[in-house]
Amino acid sequence: MSSLTGTPADADRALKAKHRSMWALGDYPGLADDLLQELGRTLVQASAVAPGERVLDVGAGSGNAAIPAAEAGATVVASDLTPELFEVGRRHAAERGVELQWREADAEALPFADGEFDVVLSSIGVMFAPHHQAAADELVRVARPGGRIGLLSWTPEGFIGQLFATMKPFAPPPPPGAQPAPLWGDEDHVRELLGPRVTDVTTRRKLLTVDHFATPEDFRDYFKARYGPTMAVYRFLSDEPEKTAALDRDLADLARRYDLGTDGTVLEWEYLLLTARRSAEVPAPR
Ligand SMILES: C[S@@+](CC[C@H](N)C(=O)[O-])C[C@H]1O[C@@H](n2cnc3c(N)ncnc32)[C@H](O)[C@@H]1O
């Protein structure tokens, strides 16, 4: 049955299957190793992960936050929609002498009990689940009362938020009800999603410095070859050489606009780092 004629549950399964194949494209684990390692460590530190705590990483990918959390002595479950990414994660964990559990899971329907975790983390992960309220409800549900939630998300105005804005006119329209990922980088939006079920919310906007690319075109070609969301847009345009050339130009221009470098390209990628505590008394769901 196609997603057009099936139930909403069929449509959701089809959408998640599409997202899973998108994140499995290219080489996300290699990209995370090259560019993003600082993010996982920053999130673990900001969330004050301590030895013996039970930690869930949502949208863990190849373990960018989950592995540092295990290195901090926590008992960690790394969960993700795309289990293809776990193979590299398992290898990295073994190299670093830590063990964690890897579990396929949709952030919008986590297969965990209420209050099962002391800390629930997501490093640029949960932001890619299309139904924001459903995903936020799950983050809160699986954190124990008094437990912590730590989220790191690209901001809409920052470089990766603008990468998505640049790709949008070239991409197929999103399915009804799907929300844009970079909204999780908007503090007001996330406060609203978490609502009165959390207290002690702290937020900081921070910058990740990326000096990996020699030129703006080098950035574009790297993302075109390795980053699933960018590769998916190029695949969508495969029969349209003019639009492909326009996207080529726009992605290089984006990097040129943000380039701070004098010797090689230097980019600063803005993200929102948010920590919160699940209220001890949890109001009934809205
Ligand atoms: C940008 S990667 C981040 C991975 C890792 N946390 C990091 O910091 O490198 C986004 C991740 O979110 C995952 N993801 C996307 N939609 C998801 C969903 N609905 N549920 C769980 N994970 C999801 C993807 O499979 C991918 O691994």
Side-chain angles (χ1 to χ4, degrees):
M1 201 185 293
S2 92
S3 61
L4 289 176
T5 55
T7 65
D10 291 332
D12 193 60
R13 262 193 298 278
L15 178 63
K16 298 296 169 45
K18 203 168 134 196
H19 285 182
R20 173 179 169 176
S21 11
M22 180 182 80
W23 286 105
L25 283 174
D27 180 16
Y28 182 78
L31 183 153
D33 287 348
D34 285 346
L35 309 176
L36 306 176
Q37 290 191 45
E38 184 184 315
L39 300 184
R41 289 194 297 263
T42 300
L43 181 62
V44 167
Q45 207 171 27
S47 307
V49 171
E53 285 191 311
R54 194 161 159 74
V55 172
L56 175 67
D57 185 4
V58 176
S62 45
N64 194 22
I67 293 174
E71 289 176 318
T75 300
V76 180
V77 180
S79 69
D80 200 283
L81 186 69
T82 312
E84 289 83 348
L85 305 174
F86 294 164
E87 190 187 326
V88 173
R90 287 196 180 94
R91 202 170 65 230
H92 284 343
E95 284 158 7
R96 285 153 70 167
V98 288
E99 268 185 38
L100 31 140
Q101 194 190 327
W102 301 88
R103 181 87 186 262
E104 180 177 341
D106 179 355
E108 297 176 8
L110 292 171
F112 306 109
D114 295 0
E116 197 176 324
F117 295 95
D118 299 304
V119 186
V120 178
L121 302 177
S122 192
S123 159
I124 52 169
V126 71
M127 66 181 293
F128 291 102
H131 306 106
H132 293 187
Q133 192 61 63
D137 289 351
E138 285 295 83
L139 299 178
V140 175
R141 182 183 66 76
V142 301
R144 70 166 168 78
R148 278 119 54 219
I149 295 173
L151 304 175
L152 192 155
S153 310
W154 302 122
T155 62
E157 308 78 21
F159 183 83
I160 298 292
Q162 289 303 300
L163 167 68
F164 280 93
T166 303
M167 294 191 302
K168 190 172 173 204
F170 298 97
Q179 292 170 282
L183 267 184
W184 278 86
D186 175 338
E187 175 181 342
D188 292 340
H189 180 69
V190 188
R191 283 181 185 270
E192 174 81 24
L193 291 174
L194 298 173
R197 300 167 300 177
V198 299
T199 60
D200 304 328
V201 178
T202 71
T203 58
R204 264 176 294 163
R205 279 175 183 254
K206 297 190 68 163
L207 294 169
L208 174 74
T209 301
V210 176
D211 60 4
H212 188 81
F213 305 110
T215 63
E217 287 73 19
D218 191 19
F219 153 78
R220 177 201 58 213
D221 294 343
Y222 182 101
F223 265 60
K224 201 172 162 176
R226 292 177 182 77
Y227 189 56
T230 303
M231 297 174 71
V233 178
Y234 275 102
R235 285 190 174 191
F236 180 65
L237 299 180
S238 60
D239 292 333
E240 301 195 74
E242 281 173 18
K243 285 191 181 174
T244 300
L247 180 58
D248 274 350
R249 187 197 57 223
D250 288 359
L251 290 182
D253 284 350
L254 169 73
R256 221 179 319 282
R257 269 202 323 276
Y258 278 77
D259 191 357
L260 303 172
T262 46
D263 178 21
T265 287
V266 178
L267 304 169
E268 288 187 331
W269 295 1
E270 188 187 56
Y271 58 90
L272 180 74
L273 180 61
L274 180 144
T275 61
R277 186 172 290 282
R278 181 176 158 176
S279 309
E281 302 251 327
V282 180
R286 287 173 291 173

